[in-house]
Amino acid sequence: MILRREILKAFGVLGASTALLQSHPLQALQTIAHQQHVASDYKGLVCIMLNGGNDAFNMVFPDTLHPEYQNYMSTRQALAVPNYVNQPHYLANKDDERYSKALLPIMLRDLNGQQHALNLHPGMQGLQALSRDKQVAVVANTGVLIEPGSREEFKQSRKRKPAFLFAHNQQRKAVYSGIGDNNVTTGWAGHMSELASIKRGNTSTVLPAGISFHGSNQWLRGQQTMGAVLAPGKPGKIIGLGEKGNKRQQARTATVQALQSLPSDDVLLRLMRGKLTSAQELSAVLMQLWTTHRKELAKLDAMFGDGKLSRQLAAVAQTIFLREHLGMQRQVFMVELGGFDTHAGQIDKHPLLLAELSRAISSFQQALVSLSLSKQVTTFTASDFGRTLTSNGNGTDHGWGSHQLVIGGAVQGGLYGQWPSMLRGGVDDYRSGRLLPTLAHTNQCQFSGLVWRV
């Protein structure tokens, strides 16, 4: 585990330069990693992508004793959680037991020792319990930045803004790569996985260190590796192949086998053969392991609900259970929960999403405890961007700064970063209720990734 002192150094709190973290996050991570001892135990890192731009200002928000409470209430108005949880249309008031009828207070200490009286959304009881155990860190007002600057400096173009600042696809690329002004196609987790493999001499495992349970993902892509794409639930065979299938499947299988046996110097053919062979080997290994350990895997699966994120995190827990059989000591996982682009109907949609996020994370932590790995696996949230503090009448629009969560037994719970002014037109309002981040997303990457330790 990385010591608290190393984490603070990475943030620049103890005098370490933040320039390297801002401009070269992967180089900074590599520098810090080389200072650590090579571990022989297991570590896992899980990214939960909240697709669409999560309104984190209703996920965690000021309590009545917080100095920003009145600003929050006056700026958010009808969207402020205390203003709508008592309304008849709110879910908890329709006898839905998944939602609290009251706010969920948490008390978080920042790096200066100041206590912050905050609330979690009423649907996030599981996260509140983890916060009481000091297993939840809130990274405040973080976002994609190329360089720090004031509102005036950005507006006068004296500081560089990220390219296509409020565009979903471009900002997701920046989140995945850790680079705000570069249209790169690789991700910081992919680079980190490759560094771990080289450092540990572990480059020949059947299962890559990076695994996505929600399609191909840039975050897991390195210079040489792509990461594996798996589906939640029992692993299946490669679709459409099988010598015992119908005539079409048999013909397809025979064609693939013929292609694999052709001697050729063609680069594309060699690449195809290698990928297909790897996929077939991985499918066979996973099928065998799922059959051998079906009872233990079913027990883990039963800890999770039926939500989309819960199903993905159940698959992550099952894969972690099989770590020793797969020869894995360092793994990174990507899962995703969509629906956060709440331009309309936010009061109806957003509570459902936050409740699913909380339930899935709570179940995942329970599963990790059962595996005695609660301190070896760290989970964090990411999103395209934040949303506007102000309402558009029925929801919120694309913003910039936002809050993110880091969860796990190795996490020192608290508040990291600077809590923003939540006043419209205030010092942190870049434009039209969009908060200017005071902590770069790359720093959150460091905070989440360092506990993974190479």
Side-chain angles (χ1 to χ4, degrees):
M1 171 182 168
I2 292 296
L3 299 177
R4 180 182 176 89
R5 184 176 183 84
E6 272 71 46
I7 294 177
L8 299 186
K9 282 183 179 179
F11 273 86
V13 175
L14 299 182
S17 172
T18 59
L20 183 62
L21 288 167
Q22 295 285 355
S23 58
H24 301 288
L26 299 173
Q27 182 182 343
L29 183 63
Q30 183 172 0
T31 300
I32 296 168
H34 278 301
Q35 296 173 354
Q36 309 303 318
H37 297 293
V38 177
S40 59
D41 58 348
Y42 176 84
K43 293 291 175 70
L45 185 64
V46 183
C47 175
I48 301 177
M49 185 64 182
L50 307 178
N51 206 337
N54 175 38
D55 187 348
F57 305 126
N58 277 6
M59 180 175 71
V60 54
F61 52 93
D63 195 18
T64 54
L65 298 178
H66 196 282
E68 286 297 324
Y69 176 77
Q70 291 300 330
N71 288 341
Y72 168 80
M73 295 296 292
S74 62
T75 302
R76 298 240 91 179
Q77 298 185 8
L79 284 182
V81 178
N83 284 341
Y84 73 69
V85 294
N86 294 318
Q87 298 300 317
H89 64 275
Y90 178 62
L91 298 163
N93 299 316
K94 296 181 179 180
D95 296 323
D96 192 329
E97 296 180 354
R98 295 175 297 175
Y99 305 92
S100 170
K101 296 179 182 295
L103 305 182
L104 303 176
I106 57 174
M107 188 69 71
L108 300 181
R109 186 187 301 272
D110 64 23
L111 292 176
N112 295 319
Q114 181 180 353
Q115 294 277 15
H116 290 256
L118 303 169
N119 289 295
L120 288 171
H121 191 276
M124 306 186 80
Q125 296 97 323
L127 262 295
Q128 184 193 36
L130 291 171
S131 179
R132 290 197 189 105
D133 292 336
K134 309 298 183 184
Q135 295 186 47
V136 177
V138 174
V139 185
N141 197 21
T142 180
V144 174
L145 284 172
I146 298 173
E147 56 184 337
S150 67
R151 174 175 57 185
E152 289 71 26
E153 287 175 320
F154 282 114
K155 287 188 175 182
Q156 295 170 13
S157 299
R158 288 187 284 132
K159 296 289 186 177
R160 292 179 299 160
K161 297 191 297 288
F164 304 101
L165 184 55
F166 306 117
H168 288 290
N169 59 341
Q170 293 295 328
Q171 293 310 292
R172 276 196 293 269
K173 287 182 179 180
V175 169
Y176 293 149
S177 69
I179 301 174
D181 63 346
N182 228 330
N183 192 23
V184 296
T185 58
T186 56
W188 64 266
H191 286 279
M192 188 170 66
S193 299
E194 289 180 340
L195 172 64
S197 296
I198 294 171
K199 190 175 181 68
R200 302 172 65 83
N202 182 17
T203 59
S204 60
T205 55
V206 174
L207 186 65
I211 302 172
S212 171
F213 283 101
H214 200 279
S216 180
N217 191 276
Q218 178 185 343
W219 184 64
L220 299 173
R221 191 177 304 136
Q223 294 291 345
Q224 304 294 329
T225 58
M226 298 287 289
V229 179
L230 302 178
K234 184 177 179 180
K237 297 180 180 179
I238 298 178
I239 298 174
L241 297 182
E243 295 179 359
K244 297 181 180 180
N246 57 36
K247 291 183 178 180
R248 182 176 297 178
Q249 288 177 327
Q250 293 174 15
R252 187 184 293 116
T253 302
T255 302
V256 169
Q257 291 173 343
L259 286 172
Q260 288 180 295
S261 64
L262 283 175
S264 175
D265 294 329
D266 185 88
V267 174
L268 291 178
L269 185 56
R270 288 204 309 270
L271 179 63
M272 183 277 293
R273 285 202 299 244
K275 294 295 183 182
L276 186 56
T277 299
S278 297
Q280 289 172 320
E281 290 175 351
L282 177 57
S283 177
V285 168
L286 291 179
M287 285 293 292
Q288 179 61 48
L289 288 174
W290 243 258
T291 300
T292 303
H293 301 281
R294 58 184 180 276
K295 291 183 179 179
E296 299 96 322
L297 294 171
K299 185 177 180 180
L300 280 173
D301 188 74
M303 296 181 182
F304 293 83
D306 294 328
K308 292 182 179 179
L309 181 60
S310 292
R311 291 292 88 214
Q312 293 174 65
L313 286 179
V316 173
Q318 291 171 322
T319 307
I320 291 174
F321 170 81
L322 297 171
R323 66 197 181 280
E324 294 181 357
H325 304 283
L326 293 164
M328 306 304 299
Q329 293 179 316
R330 294 292 181 271
Q331 288 183 289
V332 287
F333 299 92
M334 166 62 73
V335 296
E336 184 176 297
L337 181 61
F340 286 91
D341 197 16
T342 50
H343 290 283
Q346 178 164 318
I347 292 177
D348 296 322
K349 299 174 184 177
H350 200 234
L352 297 169
L353 296 170
L354 294 180
E356 165 64 3
L357 176 65
S358 178
R359 288 195 300 270
I361 291 175
S362 181
S363 298
F364 185 58
Q365 291 304 119
Q366 179 187 357
L368 292 175
V369 169
S370 73
L371 297 174
S372 300
L373 290 174
S374 62
K375 292 186 177 181
Q376 281 70 48
V377 180
T378 297
T379 303
F380 70 97
T381 64
S383 196
D384 316 24
F385 35 60
R387 303 198 74 80
T388 53
L389 274 172
T390 52
S391 172
N392 62 17
N394 195 22
T396 53
D397 296 321
H398 298 178
W400 192 353
S402 187
H403 308 319
Q404 303 296 344
L405 305 175
V406 185
I407 307 104
V411 172
Q412 298 189 35
L415 180 69
Y416 293 80
Q418 178 182 335
W419 192 267
S421 166
M422 309 193 82
L423 180 66
R424 181 172 184 175
V427 64
D428 291 319
D429 187 352
Y430 169 71
R431 188 178 73 203
S432 304
R434 297 176 172 92
L435 291 191
L436 174 64
T438 49
L439 183 66
H441 170 76
T442 52
N443 291 126
Q444 184 208 345
C445 297
Q446 307 302 321
F447 181 73
S448 304
L450 284 174
V451 294
W452 190 78
R453 191 161 71 95
V454 176

